[in-house]
């Protein structure tokens, strides 16, 4: 049984344009604090893997100190980390994912075609791909996990809610045919799950709300994955957020 932490859509360095400059800077600081919370959670739960499904950065023009903070936090995670860039932090000239040196425990998928890394010590294979632009065609059509490993995982930025979406649409039929135990998605900012063909496909939403279009408790998934299947449990990261309240 593998313990996996699955996060996505941190959108570090969001502009928070509706706030004052001082308050916006404070909120960006709170976003960066989530990185330490993620690293601490991985230690507390003794995670075997951390899967990050894109849009960790709000754009490729992020502050360099933010990208450095991300690199440092991921390096403090005591297990392998797999990152699949999304539409906001896609792989383009000047991308921190391409220009910076990253810790040895971090693997960034830098091609817009599915590739994999085998982890023999975990009897596991991790698949993934990274966006090259703001749009990405569906990558799961015709995919079937290959390899002798007992557990097959994928980390991907994709949209399971709209089969004609411009950002790597993912369908139930593709999930069912994938041969995966767990498909870790990002892109949708409210959490959700679907099961098909023995595979669990889940997206944790963003870990911190940035406005009244992102209300409620936000966080990551803690997943238990075995050759027989997967379960994903939502865990708030404790960041401040937005709530809808009815006042008498």
């Amino acid at each position: 049984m593998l313990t996996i932490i699955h996060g996505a859509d941190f959108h570090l360095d969001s502009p928070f344009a509706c706030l004052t400059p001082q308050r916006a800077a404070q909120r960006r600081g709170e976003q960066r604090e989530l990185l330490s919370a993620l690293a601490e959670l991985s230690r507390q739960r003794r995670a075997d893997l951390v899967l990050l499904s894109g849009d960790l950065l709000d754009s490729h023009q992020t502050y360099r100190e933010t990208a450095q903070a991300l690199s440092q936090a991921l390096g403090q995670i005591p297990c392998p980390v797999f990152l699949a860039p999304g539409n906001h932090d896609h792989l383009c000239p000047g991308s921190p994912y391409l220009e910076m040196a990253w810790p040895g425990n971090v693997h960034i998928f830098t091609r817009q075609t599915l590739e994999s890394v085998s982890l023999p010590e975990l009897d596991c294979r991790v698949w993934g791909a990274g966006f090259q632009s703001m749009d990405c065609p569906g990558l799961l059509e015709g995919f079937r996990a290959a390899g002798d490993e007992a557990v097959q995982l994928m980390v991907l930025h994709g949209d399971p809610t709209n089969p004609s979406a411009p950002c790597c649409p993912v369908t139930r039929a593709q999930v069912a045919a994938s041969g995966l135990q767990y498909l870790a998605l990002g892109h949708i900012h409210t959490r959700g799950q679907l099961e098909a063909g023995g595979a669990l496909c889940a997206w944790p939403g963003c870990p911190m709300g940035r406005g009244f279009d992102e209300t409620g408790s936000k966080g990551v998934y803690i997943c238990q994955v075995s050759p027989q299947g997967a379960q994903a449990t939502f865990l708030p990261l404790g960041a401040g957020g937005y709530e809808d309240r009815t006042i008498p």
Side-chain angles (χ1 to χ4, degrees):
M1 182 78 71
L2 298 180
T3 298
I4 296 170
I5 296 175
H6 172 202
D9 297 289
F10 282 61
H11 284 275
L12 299 170
D13 280 348
S14 293
F16 293 100
C18 63
L19 302 178
T20 65
Q22 295 80 8
R23 182 64 175 137
Q26 180 182 348
R27 291 293 280 164
R28 286 192 290 270
E30 292 169 358
Q31 284 184 309
R32 288 191 289 272
E33 290 172 5
L34 292 174
L35 301 175
S36 297
L38 179 69
E40 178 60 26
L41 180 64
S42 70
R43 292 189 288 268
Q44 290 178 353
R45 296 301 180 103
R46 298 182 179 179
D48 296 295
L49 293 170
V50 172
L51 305 179
L52 299 174
S53 304
D55 285 1
L56 275 292
L57 306 172
D58 194 58
S59 78
H60 64 277
Q61 295 178 327
T62 190
Y63 293 111
R64 184 168 182 82
E65 55 265 31
T66 300
Q68 290 172 338
L70 174 61
S71 175
Q72 181 179 8
L74 299 186
Q76 293 172 351
I77 293 175
C79 66
V81 177
F82 290 88
L83 195 161
N87 58 315
H88 279 264
D89 57 357
H90 61 270
L91 297 152
C92 62
S95 166
Y97 297 141
L98 300 175
E99 300 293 333
M100 286 176 47
W102 291 82
N105 67 315
V106 177
H107 181 91
I108 301 174
F109 289 102
T110 57
R111 298 176 59 191
Q112 196 169 280
T113 54
L114 290 170
E115 54 187 355
S116 66
V117 176
S118 177
L119 300 171
E121 67 278 12
L122 298 177
D123 199 11
C124 168
R125 182 175 292 268
V126 182
W127 298 82
F131 279 41
Q132 302 290 327
S133 67
M134 287 293 289
D135 296 339
C136 179
L139 299 176
L140 274 182
E141 185 62 37
F143 171 82
R144 178 75 182 181
D148 296 329
E149 295 83 2
V151 174
Q152 300 278 342
L153 310 169
M154 183 182 291
V155 55
L156 190 65
H157 201 73
D159 190 340
T161 68
N162 179 4
S164 60
C167 293
C168 190
V170 173
T171 68
R172 179 180 290 273
Q174 291 169 348
V175 174
S178 68
L180 300 168
Q181 275 78 34
Y182 188 67
L183 171 55
L185 291 184
H187 188 62
I188 304 301
H189 287 195
T190 54
R191 65 183 182 271
Q193 303 181 20
L194 69 85
E195 286 189 78
L200 176 62
C201 172
W203 49 101
C206 54
M208 186 179 85
R210 296 174 296 157
F212 284 104
D213 58 340
E214 296 177 352
T215 57
S217 182
K218 303 293 184 181
V220 297
Y221 277 134
I222 304 294
C223 310
Q224 301 295 324
V225 184
S226 73
Q228 289 70 45
Q231 291 184 329
T233 303
F234 175 73
L235 183 68
L237 280 185
Y242 293 79
E243 299 286 346
D244 288 322
R245 299 291 187 186
T246 300
I247 306 300

